[in-house]
Amino acid sequence: MPGQSIILFDGVCNLCNSAVNFVIKRDKKNLIQFAPLQSETAQVLLAKHEMHTQEMKSFIFIKNGKEYTQSTAALKVCRHLSGAWPALYALIIIPPFIRDGIYNWIAKNRYKWFGQKNECMIPTPELQAKFLN
């Protein structure tokens, strides 16, 4: 899907759902679409990119057909947000083993710290266009 920016996220994770809402509010150009990892659409995209849900800690960012994971995905998403958020991309200079270590620690504890839902969030009608079916 060239030209598209897609976030695949854990639809039952409260932290992930909060992150999606955070991005939606700051994606003023409506460049990013979303799909829960639990959805059929995400499963098709994961297969296309030869990735497996079990390997994922919270979300994947797909931009122009290339997938990004962990801290790199988060920093790439920041580049698309309004306000000062794109400045966070400067953190990309930190070695990935450090960035991803922190990311993985948060991902490992996200259900314990933030909780989880029994089912994926359902977008409101006005946000439905941002979600892939």
Side-chain angles (χ1 to χ4, degrees), residues 7-24 34-38 56-60 103 106-107 110-111 114-117 121 131:
I7 292 176
L8 305 180
F9 66 100
D10 182 349
V12 298
C13 168
N14 287 337
L15 174 61
C16 302
N17 282 292
S18 293
V20 166
N21 288 326
F22 179 89
V23 170
I24 287 170
F34 306 87
L37 284 168
Q38 295 83 355
M56 301 305 118
K57 299 286 191 245
S58 63
F59 80 86
I60 301 151
Y103 180 95
I106 293 168
R110 71 186 189 274
Y111 292 147
F114 301 98
Q116 70 184 88
K117 301 174 186 295
M121 78 177 227
F131 287 79

PDB file of all heavy atoms in Angstrom, residues 7-24 34-38 56-60 103 106-107 110-111 114-117 121 131:
ATOM      1  N   ILE A   7      -1.004   2.444  11.374  1.00  0.00           N
ATOM      2  CA  ILE A   7      -0.589   1.944  12.679  1.00  0.00           C
ATOM      3  C   ILE A   7      -1.410   0.703  12.983  1.00  0.00           C
ATOM      4  O   ILE A   7      -2.643   0.748  12.964  1.00  0.00           O
ATOM      5  CB  ILE A   7      -0.805   2.989  13.793  1.00  0.00           C
ATOM      6  CG1 ILE A   7       0.151   4.168  13.607  1.00  0.00           C
ATOM      7  CG2 ILE A   7      -0.605   2.355  15.175  1.00  0.00           C
ATOM      8  CD1 ILE A   7      -0.053   5.294  14.604  1.00  0.00           C
ATOM      9  N   LEU A   8      -0.723  -0.400  13.239  1.00  0.00           N
ATOM     10  CA  LEU A   8      -1.358  -1.620  13.734  1.00  0.00           C
ATOM     11  C   LEU A   8      -1.110  -1.638  15.226  1.00  0.00           C
ATOM     12  O   LEU A   8       0.039  -1.539  15.666  1.00  0.00           O
ATOM     13  CB  LEU A   8      -0.755  -2.857  13.068  1.00  0.00           C
ATOM     14  CG  LEU A   8      -0.771  -2.886  11.541  1.00  0.00           C
ATOM     15  CD1 LEU A   8      -0.131  -4.169  11.028  1.00  0.00           C
ATOM     16  CD2 LEU A   8      -2.175  -2.734  11.005  1.00  0.00           C
ATOM     17  N   PHE A   9      -2.165  -1.737  16.009  1.00  0.00           N
ATOM     18  CA  PHE A   9      -2.033  -1.611  17.451  1.00  0.00           C
ATOM     19  C   PHE A   9      -2.779  -2.721  18.170  1.00  0.00           C
ATOM     20  O   PHE A   9      -3.692  -3.337  17.610  1.00  0.00           O
ATOM     21  CB  PHE A   9      -2.538  -0.239  17.924  1.00  0.00           C
ATOM     22  CG  PHE A   9      -4.017  -0.044  17.717  1.00  0.00           C
ATOM     23  CD1 PHE A   9      -4.906  -0.204  18.777  1.00  0.00           C
ATOM     24  CD2 PHE A   9      -4.530   0.293  16.485  1.00  0.00           C
ATOM     25  CE1 PHE A   9      -6.273  -0.039  18.596  1.00  0.00           C
ATOM     26  CE2 PHE A   9      -5.897   0.462  16.286  1.00  0.00           C
ATOM     27  CZ  PHE A   9      -6.772   0.297  17.342  1.00  0.00           C
ATOM     28  N   ASP A  10      -2.403  -2.966  19.409  1.00  0.00           N
ATOM     29  CA  ASP A  10      -3.078  -3.956  20.245  1.00  0.00           C
ATOM     30  C   ASP A  10      -4.417  -3.355  20.673  1.00  0.00           C
ATOM     31  O   ASP A  10      -4.469  -2.455  21.512  1.00  0.00           O
ATOM     32  CB  ASP A  10      -2.201  -4.283  21.456  1.00  0.00           C
ATOM     33  CG  ASP A  10      -2.803  -5.339  22.366  1.00  0.00           C
ATOM     34  OD1 ASP A  10      -3.985  -5.693  22.195  1.00  0.00           O
ATOM     35  OD2 ASP A  10      -2.081  -5.810  23.260  1.00  0.00           O
ATOM     36  N   GLY A  11      -5.484  -3.849  20.082  1.00  0.00           N
ATOM     37  CA  GLY A  11      -6.812  -3.273  20.302  1.00  0.00           C
ATOM     38  C   GLY A  11      -7.378  -3.455  21.689  1.00  0.00           C
ATOM     39  O   GLY A  11      -8.353  -2.793  22.040  1.00  0.00           O
ATOM     40  N   VAL A  12      -6.811  -4.344  22.497  1.00  0.00           N
ATOM     41  CA  VAL A  12      -7.331  -4.549  23.851  1.00  0.00           C
ATOM     42  C   VAL A  12      -6.468  -3.871  24.910  1.00  0.00           C
ATOM     43  O   VAL A  12      -6.795  -3.900  26.089  1.00  0.00           O
ATOM     44  CB  VAL A  12      -7.503  -6.051  24.184  1.00  0.00           C
ATOM     45  CG1 VAL A  12      -8.514  -6.685  23.243  1.00  0.00           C
ATOM     46  CG2 VAL A  12      -6.185  -6.785  24.162  1.00  0.00           C
ATOM     47  N   CYS A  13      -5.390  -3.243  24.489  1.00  0.00           N
ATOM     48  CA  CYS A  13      -4.460  -2.579  25.419  1.00  0.00           C
ATOM     49  C   CYS A  13      -4.907  -1.137  25.664  1.00  0.00           C
ATOM     50  O   CYS A  13      -5.055  -0.356  24.722  1.00  0.00           O
ATOM     51  CB  CYS A  13      -3.062  -2.607  24.810  1.00  0.00           C
ATOM     52  SG  CYS A  13      -1.855  -1.564  25.633  1.00  0.00           S
ATOM     53  N   ASN A  14      -5.107  -0.787  26.924  1.00  0.00           N
ATOM     54  CA  ASN A  14      -5.528   0.578  27.258  1.00  0.00           C
ATOM     55  C   ASN A  14      -4.469   1.606  26.866  1.00  0.00           C
ATOM     56  O   ASN A  14      -4.805   2.686  26.372  1.00  0.00           O
ATOM     57  CB  ASN A  14      -5.847   0.693  28.748  1.00  0.00           C
ATOM     58  CG  ASN A  14      -7.147   0.016  29.109  1.00  0.00           C
ATOM     59  OD1 ASN A  14      -8.025  -0.176  28.272  1.00  0.00           O
ATOM     60  ND2 ASN A  14      -7.275  -0.379  30.364  1.00  0.00           N
ATOM     61  N   LEU A  15      -3.196   1.299  27.078  1.00  0.00           N
ATOM     62  CA  LEU A  15      -2.123   2.221  26.696  1.00  0.00           C
ATOM     63  C   LEU A  15      -2.128   2.422  25.180  1.00  0.00           C
ATOM     64  O   LEU A  15      -2.013   3.546  24.694  1.00  0.00           O
ATOM     65  CB  LEU A  15      -0.761   1.702  27.167  1.00  0.00           C
ATOM     66  CG  LEU A  15       0.455   2.512  26.714  1.00  0.00           C
ATOM     67  CD1 LEU A  15       0.390   3.938  27.238  1.00  0.00           C
ATOM     68  CD2 LEU A  15       1.747   1.830  27.156  1.00  0.00           C
ATOM     69  N   CYS A  16      -2.267   1.341  24.436  1.00  0.00           N
ATOM     70  CA  CYS A  16      -2.266   1.419  22.969  1.00  0.00           C
ATOM     71  C   CYS A  16      -3.459   2.228  22.462  1.00  0.00           C
ATOM     72  O   CYS A  16      -3.314   3.050  21.554  1.00  0.00           O
ATOM     73  CB  CYS A  16      -2.274   0.024  22.366  1.00  0.00           C
ATOM     74  SG  CYS A  16      -0.880  -0.984  22.897  1.00  0.00           S
ATOM     75  N   ASN A  17      -4.634   2.002  23.046  1.00  0.00           N
ATOM     76  CA  ASN A  17      -5.812   2.767  22.655  1.00  0.00           C
ATOM     77  C   ASN A  17      -5.641   4.243  22.974  1.00  0.00           C
ATOM     78  O   ASN A  17      -6.048   5.103  22.190  1.00  0.00           O
ATOM     79  CB  ASN A  17      -7.061   2.207  23.332  1.00  0.00           C
ATOM     80  CG  ASN A  17      -7.555   0.957  22.642  1.00  0.00           C
ATOM     81  OD1 ASN A  17      -8.017   1.010  21.510  1.00  0.00           O
ATOM     82  ND2 ASN A  17      -7.443  -0.177  23.304  1.00  0.00           N
ATOM     83  N   SER A  18      -5.026   4.553  24.098  1.00  0.00           N
ATOM     84  CA  SER A  18      -4.748   5.950  24.439  1.00  0.00           C
ATOM     85  C   SER A  18      -3.768   6.560  23.442  1.00  0.00           C
ATOM     86  O   SER A  18      -3.910   7.716  23.040  1.00  0.00           O
ATOM     87  CB  SER A  18      -4.185   6.055  25.852  1.00  0.00           C
ATOM     88  OG  SER A  18      -5.163   5.684  26.792  1.00  0.00           O
ATOM     89  N   ALA A  19      -2.769   5.769  23.034  1.00  0.00           N
ATOM     90  CA  ALA A  19      -1.802   6.250  22.046  1.00  0.00           C
ATOM     91  C   ALA A  19      -2.484   6.529  20.709  1.00  0.00           C
ATOM     92  O   ALA A  19      -2.191   7.540  20.050  1.00  0.00           O
ATOM     93  CB  ALA A  19      -0.671   5.239  21.878  1.00  0.00           C
ATOM     94  N   VAL A  20      -3.404   5.663  20.307  1.00  0.00           N
ATOM     95  CA  VAL A  20      -4.147   5.869  19.055  1.00  0.00           C
ATOM     96  C   VAL A  20      -4.950   7.163  19.148  1.00  0.00           C
ATOM     97  O   VAL A  20      -4.929   7.990  18.227  1.00  0.00           O
ATOM     98  CB  VAL A  20      -5.055   4.662  18.745  1.00  0.00           C
ATOM     99  CG1 VAL A  20      -6.078   4.998  17.669  1.00  0.00           C
ATOM    100  CG2 VAL A  20      -4.219   3.464  18.332  1.00  0.00           C
ATOM    101  N   ASN A  21      -5.639   7.377  20.246  1.00  0.00           N
ATOM    102  CA  ASN A  21      -6.412   8.615  20.422  1.00  0.00           C
ATOM    103  C   ASN A  21      -5.496   9.833  20.414  1.00  0.00           C
ATOM    104  O   ASN A  21      -5.847  10.880  19.858  1.00  0.00           O
ATOM    105  CB  ASN A  21      -7.231   8.555  21.708  1.00  0.00           C
ATOM    106  CG  ASN A  21      -8.400   7.605  21.585  1.00  0.00           C
ATOM    107  OD1 ASN A  21      -8.993   7.464  20.525  1.00  0.00           O
ATOM    108  ND2 ASN A  21      -8.730   6.922  22.666  1.00  0.00           N
ATOM    109  N   PHE A  22      -4.315   9.710  21.024  1.00  0.00           N
ATOM    110  CA  PHE A  22      -3.318  10.779  21.042  1.00  0.00           C
ATOM    111  C   PHE A  22      -2.918  11.133  19.603  1.00  0.00           C
ATOM    112  O   PHE A  22      -2.878  12.303  19.223  1.00  0.00           O
ATOM    113  CB  PHE A  22      -2.103  10.319  21.855  1.00  0.00           C
ATOM    114  CG  PHE A  22      -0.996  11.313  21.931  1.00  0.00           C
ATOM    115  CD1 PHE A  22      -0.983  12.262  22.938  1.00  0.00           C
ATOM    116  CD2 PHE A  22       0.048  11.290  21.015  1.00  0.00           C
ATOM    117  CE1 PHE A  22       0.052  13.183  23.026  1.00  0.00           C
ATOM    118  CE2 PHE A  22       1.082  12.198  21.098  1.00  0.00           C
ATOM    119  CZ  PHE A  22       1.084  13.155  22.099  1.00  0.00           C
ATOM    120  N   VAL A  23      -2.624  10.115  18.803  1.00  0.00           N
ATOM    121  CA  VAL A  23      -2.208  10.336  17.415  1.00  0.00           C
ATOM    122  C   VAL A  23      -3.348  10.952  16.608  1.00  0.00           C
ATOM    123  O   VAL A  23      -3.126  11.897  15.841  1.00  0.00           O
ATOM    124  CB  VAL A  23      -1.705   9.023  16.774  1.00  0.00           C
ATOM    125  CG1 VAL A  23      -1.502   9.188  15.269  1.00  0.00           C
ATOM    126  CG2 VAL A  23      -0.412   8.559  17.441  1.00  0.00           C
ATOM    127  N   ILE A  24      -4.558  10.436  16.764  1.00  0.00           N
ATOM    128  CA  ILE A  24      -5.708  10.963  16.020  1.00  0.00           C
ATOM    129  C   ILE A  24      -5.861  12.465  16.261  1.00  0.00           C
ATOM    130  O   ILE A  24      -6.061  13.236  15.321  1.00  0.00           O
ATOM    131  CB  ILE A  24      -6.999  10.214  16.397  1.00  0.00           C
ATOM    132  CG1 ILE A  24      -6.982   8.808  15.791  1.00  0.00           C
ATOM    133  CG2 ILE A  24      -8.242  10.980  15.951  1.00  0.00           C
ATOM    134  CD1 ILE A  24      -8.089   7.890  16.276  1.00  0.00           C
ATOM    135  N   PHE A  34      -5.568   3.326  10.948  1.00  0.00           N
ATOM    136  CA  PHE A  34      -5.362   2.414  12.067  1.00  0.00           C
ATOM    137  C   PHE A  34      -6.071   1.088  11.847  1.00  0.00           C
ATOM    138  O   PHE A  34      -7.102   1.040  11.187  1.00  0.00           O
ATOM    139  CB  PHE A  34      -5.911   3.042  13.362  1.00  0.00           C
ATOM    140  CG  PHE A  34      -5.348   4.403  13.649  1.00  0.00           C
ATOM    141  CD1 PHE A  34      -5.936   5.539  13.114  1.00  0.00           C
ATOM    142  CD2 PHE A  34      -4.217   4.535  14.431  1.00  0.00           C
ATOM    143  CE1 PHE A  34      -5.412   6.795  13.369  1.00  0.00           C
ATOM    144  CE2 PHE A  34      -3.687   5.790  14.689  1.00  0.00           C
ATOM    145  CZ  PHE A  34      -4.279   6.919  14.156  1.00  0.00           C
ATOM    146  N   ALA A  35      -5.508   0.044  12.448  1.00  0.00           N
ATOM    147  CA  ALA A  35      -6.174  -1.262  12.471  1.00  0.00           C
ATOM    148  C   ALA A  35      -5.678  -2.007  13.702  1.00  0.00           C
ATOM    149  O   ALA A  35      -4.470  -2.062  13.957  1.00  0.00           O
ATOM    150  CB  ALA A  35      -5.862  -2.066  11.213  1.00  0.00           C
ATOM    151  N   PRO A  36      -6.596  -2.571  14.494  1.00  0.00           N
ATOM    152  CA  PRO A  36      -6.157  -3.371  15.642  1.00  0.00           C
ATOM    153  C   PRO A  36      -5.457  -4.638  15.158  1.00  0.00           C
ATOM    154  O   PRO A  36      -5.836  -5.212  14.126  1.00  0.00           O
ATOM    155  CB  PRO A  36      -7.448  -3.723  16.377  1.00  0.00           C
ATOM    156  CG  PRO A  36      -8.566  -3.117  15.619  1.00  0.00           C
ATOM    157  CD  PRO A  36      -8.030  -2.458  14.410  1.00  0.00           C
ATOM    158  N   LEU A  37      -4.434  -5.057  15.865  1.00  0.00           N
ATOM    159  CA  LEU A  37      -3.713  -6.284  15.526  1.00  0.00           C
ATOM    160  C   LEU A  37      -4.651  -7.482  15.467  1.00  0.00           C
ATOM    161  O   LEU A  37      -4.397  -8.445  14.747  1.00  0.00           O
ATOM    162  CB  LEU A  37      -2.597  -6.552  16.544  1.00  0.00           C
ATOM    163  CG  LEU A  37      -1.358  -5.679  16.405  1.00  0.00           C
ATOM    164  CD1 LEU A  37      -0.469  -5.820  17.633  1.00  0.00           C
ATOM    165  CD2 LEU A  37      -0.588  -6.030  15.150  1.00  0.00           C
ATOM    166  N   GLN A  38      -5.737  -7.420  16.207  1.00  0.00           N
ATOM    167  CA  GLN A  38      -6.686  -8.524  16.264  1.00  0.00           C
ATOM    168  C   GLN A  38      -7.603  -8.579  15.035  1.00  0.00           C
ATOM    169  O   GLN A  38      -8.364  -9.521  14.874  1.00  0.00           O
ATOM    170  CB  GLN A  38      -7.542  -8.415  17.538  1.00  0.00           C
ATOM    171  CG  GLN A  38      -6.775  -8.582  18.816  1.00  0.00           C
ATOM    172  CD  GLN A  38      -6.068  -7.314  19.302  1.00  0.00           C
ATOM    173  OE1 GLN A  38      -6.054  -6.278  18.651  1.00  0.00           O
ATOM    174  NE2 GLN A  38      -5.459  -7.406  20.474  1.00  0.00           N
ATOM    175  N   MET A  56       4.835  -9.197  18.268  1.00  0.00           N
ATOM    176  CA  MET A  56       4.629  -7.775  18.476  1.00  0.00           C
ATOM    177  C   MET A  56       4.351  -7.440  19.941  1.00  0.00           C
ATOM    178  O   MET A  56       3.639  -8.151  20.609  1.00  0.00           O
ATOM    179  CB  MET A  56       3.458  -7.279  17.627  1.00  0.00           C
ATOM    180  CG  MET A  56       3.656  -7.499  16.147  1.00  0.00           C
ATOM    181  SD  MET A  56       5.176  -6.767  15.530  1.00  0.00           S
ATOM    182  CE  MET A  56       6.055  -8.195  14.955  1.00  0.00           C
ATOM    183  N   LYS A  57       4.922  -6.353  20.383  1.00  0.00           N
ATOM    184  CA  LYS A  57       4.735  -5.922  21.757  1.00  0.00           C
ATOM    185  C   LYS A  57       3.577  -4.936  21.897  1.00  0.00           C
ATOM    186  O   LYS A  57       2.909  -4.920  22.897  1.00  0.00           O
ATOM    187  CB  LYS A  57       6.018  -5.281  22.296  1.00  0.00           C
ATOM    188  CG  LYS A  57       7.190  -6.216  22.297  1.00  0.00           C
ATOM    189  CD  LYS A  57       7.061  -7.220  23.399  1.00  0.00           C
ATOM    190  CE  LYS A  57       8.347  -7.970  23.572  1.00  0.00           C
ATOM    191  NZ  LYS A  57       8.278  -9.367  23.283  1.00  0.00           N
ATOM    192  N   SER A  58       3.357  -4.066  20.934  1.00  0.00           N
ATOM    193  CA  SER A  58       2.209  -3.177  21.029  1.00  0.00           C
ATOM    194  C   SER A  58       1.772  -2.609  19.696  1.00  0.00           C
ATOM    195  O   SER A  58       0.624  -2.706  19.352  1.00  0.00           O
ATOM    196  CB  SER A  58       2.422  -2.058  22.045  1.00  0.00           C
ATOM    197  OG  SER A  58       3.479  -1.238  21.652  1.00  0.00           O
ATOM    198  N   PHE A  59       2.650  -2.016  18.898  1.00  0.00           N
ATOM    199  CA  PHE A  59       2.180  -1.531  17.596  1.00  0.00           C
ATOM    200  C   PHE A  59       3.268  -1.555  16.542  1.00  0.00           C
ATOM    201  O   PHE A  59       4.446  -1.637  16.840  1.00  0.00           O
ATOM    202  CB  PHE A  59       1.516  -0.157  17.698  1.00  0.00           C
ATOM    203  CG  PHE A  59       2.451   1.024  17.771  1.00  0.00           C
ATOM    204  CD1 PHE A  59       2.938   1.614  16.622  1.00  0.00           C
ATOM    205  CD2 PHE A  59       2.813   1.559  18.979  1.00  0.00           C
ATOM    206  CE1 PHE A  59       3.772   2.711  16.672  1.00  0.00           C
ATOM    207  CE2 PHE A  59       3.651   2.653  19.049  1.00  0.00           C
ATOM    208  CZ  PHE A  59       4.130   3.233  17.897  1.00  0.00           C
ATOM    209  N   ILE A  60       2.786  -1.495  15.298  1.00  0.00           N
ATOM    210  CA  ILE A  60       3.655  -1.497  14.124  1.00  0.00           C
ATOM    211  C   ILE A  60       3.235  -0.297  13.288  1.00  0.00           C
ATOM    212  O   ILE A  60       2.041  -0.007  13.154  1.00  0.00           O
ATOM    213  CB  ILE A  60       3.437  -2.785  13.299  1.00  0.00           C
ATOM    214  CG1 ILE A  60       3.730  -3.998  14.156  1.00  0.00           C
ATOM    215  CG2 ILE A  60       4.292  -2.786  12.043  1.00  0.00           C
ATOM    216  CD1 ILE A  60       2.948  -5.206  13.745  1.00  0.00           C
ATOM    217  N   TYR A 103      11.443   0.718  25.471  1.00  0.00           N
ATOM    218  CA  TYR A 103      10.172   0.409  24.835  1.00  0.00           C
ATOM    219  C   TYR A 103       9.670  -0.967  25.279  1.00  0.00           C
ATOM    220  O   TYR A 103       8.509  -1.128  25.660  1.00  0.00           O
ATOM    221  CB  TYR A 103      10.337   0.454  23.310  1.00  0.00           C
ATOM    222  CG  TYR A 103       9.068   0.150  22.575  1.00  0.00           C
ATOM    223  CD1 TYR A 103       8.241   1.164  22.145  1.00  0.00           C
ATOM    224  CD2 TYR A 103       8.686  -1.166  22.336  1.00  0.00           C
ATOM    225  CE1 TYR A 103       7.053   0.879  21.486  1.00  0.00           C
ATOM    226  CE2 TYR A 103       7.504  -1.461  21.683  1.00  0.00           C
ATOM    227  CZ  TYR A 103       6.696  -0.430  21.267  1.00  0.00           C
ATOM    228  OH  TYR A 103       5.517  -0.726  20.639  1.00  0.00           O
ATOM    229  N   ILE A 106       8.349  -1.103  28.877  1.00  0.00           N
ATOM    230  CA  ILE A 106       6.994  -0.546  28.983  1.00  0.00           C
ATOM    231  C   ILE A 106       5.985  -1.523  28.368  1.00  0.00           C
ATOM    232  O   ILE A 106       4.939  -1.804  28.966  1.00  0.00           O
ATOM    233  CB  ILE A 106       6.912   0.836  28.297  1.00  0.00           C
ATOM    234  CG1 ILE A 106       7.768   1.838  29.076  1.00  0.00           C
ATOM    235  CG2 ILE A 106       5.464   1.320  28.195  1.00  0.00           C
ATOM    236  CD1 ILE A 106       7.995   3.158  28.351  1.00  0.00           C
ATOM    237  N   ALA A 107       6.307  -2.059  27.188  1.00  0.00           N
ATOM    238  CA  ALA A 107       5.391  -2.990  26.510  1.00  0.00           C
ATOM    239  C   ALA A 107       5.129  -4.234  27.358  1.00  0.00           C
ATOM    240  O   ALA A 107       3.997  -4.713  27.425  1.00  0.00           O
ATOM    241  CB  ALA A 107       5.962  -3.378  25.149  1.00  0.00           C
ATOM    242  N   ARG A 110       2.655  -3.168  30.151  1.00  0.00           N
ATOM    243  CA  ARG A 110       1.537  -2.283  29.810  1.00  0.00           C
ATOM    244  C   ARG A 110       0.194  -2.766  30.349  1.00  0.00           C
ATOM    245  O   ARG A 110      -0.610  -1.955  30.776  1.00  0.00           O
ATOM    246  CB  ARG A 110       1.480  -2.034  28.312  1.00  0.00           C
ATOM    247  CG  ARG A 110       1.039  -3.213  27.478  1.00  0.00           C
ATOM    248  CD  ARG A 110       1.176  -2.875  25.985  1.00  0.00           C
ATOM    249  NE  ARG A 110       0.574  -3.871  25.145  1.00  0.00           N
ATOM    250  CZ  ARG A 110       1.179  -4.975  24.723  1.00  0.00           C
ATOM    251  NH1 ARG A 110       2.413  -5.218  25.103  1.00  0.00           N
ATOM    252  NH2 ARG A 110       0.547  -5.823  23.940  1.00  0.00           N
ATOM    253  N   TYR A 111      -0.074  -4.053  30.331  1.00  0.00           N
ATOM    254  CA  TYR A 111      -1.352  -4.546  30.858  1.00  0.00           C
ATOM    255  C   TYR A 111      -1.409  -4.371  32.372  1.00  0.00           C
ATOM    256  O   TYR A 111      -2.441  -3.996  32.924  1.00  0.00           O
ATOM    257  CB  TYR A 111      -1.572  -6.016  30.522  1.00  0.00           C
ATOM    258  CG  TYR A 111      -1.792  -6.309  29.059  1.00  0.00           C
ATOM    259  CD1 TYR A 111      -1.344  -7.495  28.506  1.00  0.00           C
ATOM    260  CD2 TYR A 111      -2.475  -5.423  28.226  1.00  0.00           C
ATOM    261  CE1 TYR A 111      -1.554  -7.787  27.168  1.00  0.00           C
ATOM    262  CE2 TYR A 111      -2.685  -5.711  26.887  1.00  0.00           C
ATOM    263  CZ  TYR A 111      -2.227  -6.889  26.374  1.00  0.00           C
ATOM    264  OH  TYR A 111      -2.439  -7.188  25.052  1.00  0.00           O
ATOM    265  N   PHE A 114      -1.499  -0.319  32.906  1.00  0.00           N
ATOM    266  CA  PHE A 114      -2.584   0.441  32.283  1.00  0.00           C
ATOM    267  C   PHE A 114      -3.868  -0.359  32.097  1.00  0.00           C
ATOM    268  O   PHE A 114      -4.899   0.210  31.771  1.00  0.00           O
ATOM    269  CB  PHE A 114      -2.127   0.996  30.927  1.00  0.00           C
ATOM    270  CG  PHE A 114      -0.929   1.894  31.024  1.00  0.00           C
ATOM    271  CD1 PHE A 114       0.344   1.406  30.760  1.00  0.00           C
ATOM    272  CD2 PHE A 114      -1.063   3.219  31.402  1.00  0.00           C
ATOM    273  CE1 PHE A 114       1.464   2.222  30.857  1.00  0.00           C
ATOM    274  CE2 PHE A 114       0.051   4.043  31.499  1.00  0.00           C
ATOM    275  CZ  PHE A 114       1.319   3.539  31.225  1.00  0.00           C
ATOM    276  N   GLY A 115      -3.796  -1.671  32.247  1.00  0.00           N
ATOM    277  CA  GLY A 115      -4.968  -2.520  32.106  1.00  0.00           C
ATOM    278  C   GLY A 115      -5.250  -2.874  30.655  1.00  0.00           C
ATOM    279  O   GLY A 115      -4.541  -2.465  29.752  1.00  0.00           O
ATOM    280  N   GLN A 116      -6.295  -3.667  30.483  1.00  0.00           N
ATOM    281  CA  GLN A 116      -6.704  -4.056  29.142  1.00  0.00           C
ATOM    282  C   GLN A 116      -8.206  -4.230  29.087  1.00  0.00           C
ATOM    283  O   GLN A 116      -8.872  -4.379  30.100  1.00  0.00           O
ATOM    284  CB  GLN A 116      -5.977  -5.321  28.694  1.00  0.00           C
ATOM    285  CG  GLN A 116      -6.396  -6.587  29.425  1.00  0.00           C
ATOM    286  CD  GLN A 116      -5.559  -7.774  28.991  1.00  0.00           C
ATOM    287  OE1 GLN A 116      -4.512  -8.006  29.565  1.00  0.00           O
ATOM    288  NE2 GLN A 116      -6.024  -8.505  27.995  1.00  0.00           N
ATOM    289  N   LYS A 117      -8.731  -4.188  27.871  1.00  0.00           N
ATOM    290  CA  LYS A 117     -10.163  -4.353  27.627  1.00  0.00           C
ATOM    291  C   LYS A 117     -10.439  -5.798  27.226  1.00  0.00           C
ATOM    292  O   LYS A 117      -9.527  -6.531  26.862  1.00  0.00           O
ATOM    293  CB  LYS A 117     -10.601  -3.425  26.498  1.00  0.00           C
ATOM    294  CG  LYS A 117     -10.344  -1.954  26.754  1.00  0.00           C
ATOM    295  CD  LYS A 117     -10.692  -1.144  25.504  1.00  0.00           C
ATOM    296  CE  LYS A 117     -10.323   0.301  25.633  1.00  0.00           C
ATOM    297  NZ  LYS A 117     -11.017   1.053  26.607  1.00  0.00           N
ATOM    298  N   MET A 121     -11.421  -1.575  20.761  1.00  0.00           N
ATOM    299  CA  MET A 121     -12.220  -0.355  20.773  1.00  0.00           C
ATOM    300  C   MET A 121     -12.998  -0.233  19.474  1.00  0.00           C
ATOM    301  O   MET A 121     -12.569  -0.694  18.427  1.00  0.00           O
ATOM    302  CB  MET A 121     -11.335   0.864  20.986  1.00  0.00           C
ATOM    303  CG  MET A 121     -10.565   1.340  19.790  1.00  0.00           C
ATOM    304  SD  MET A 121      -9.641   2.824  20.205  1.00  0.00           S
ATOM    305  CE  MET A 121     -10.048   3.847  18.831  1.00  0.00           C
ATOM    306  N   PHE A 131     -10.035   4.196  10.350  1.00  0.00           N
ATOM    307  CA  PHE A 131      -9.781   2.799  10.656  1.00  0.00           C
ATOM    308  C   PHE A 131     -10.013   1.942   9.430  1.00  0.00           C
ATOM    309  O   PHE A 131     -11.016   2.089   8.736  1.00  0.00           O
ATOM    310  CB  PHE A 131     -10.676   2.352  11.828  1.00  0.00           C
ATOM    311  CG  PHE A 131     -10.222   2.904  13.140  1.00  0.00           C
ATOM    312  CD1 PHE A 131     -10.531   4.211  13.487  1.00  0.00           C
ATOM    313  CD2 PHE A 131      -9.461   2.152  14.008  1.00  0.00           C
ATOM    314  CE1 PHE A 131     -10.098   4.745  14.691  1.00  0.00           C
ATOM    315  CE2 PHE A 131      -9.026   2.676  15.206  1.00  0.00           C
ATOM    316  CZ  PHE A 131      -9.348   3.977  15.556  1.00  0.00           C
TER     317      PHE A 131
END
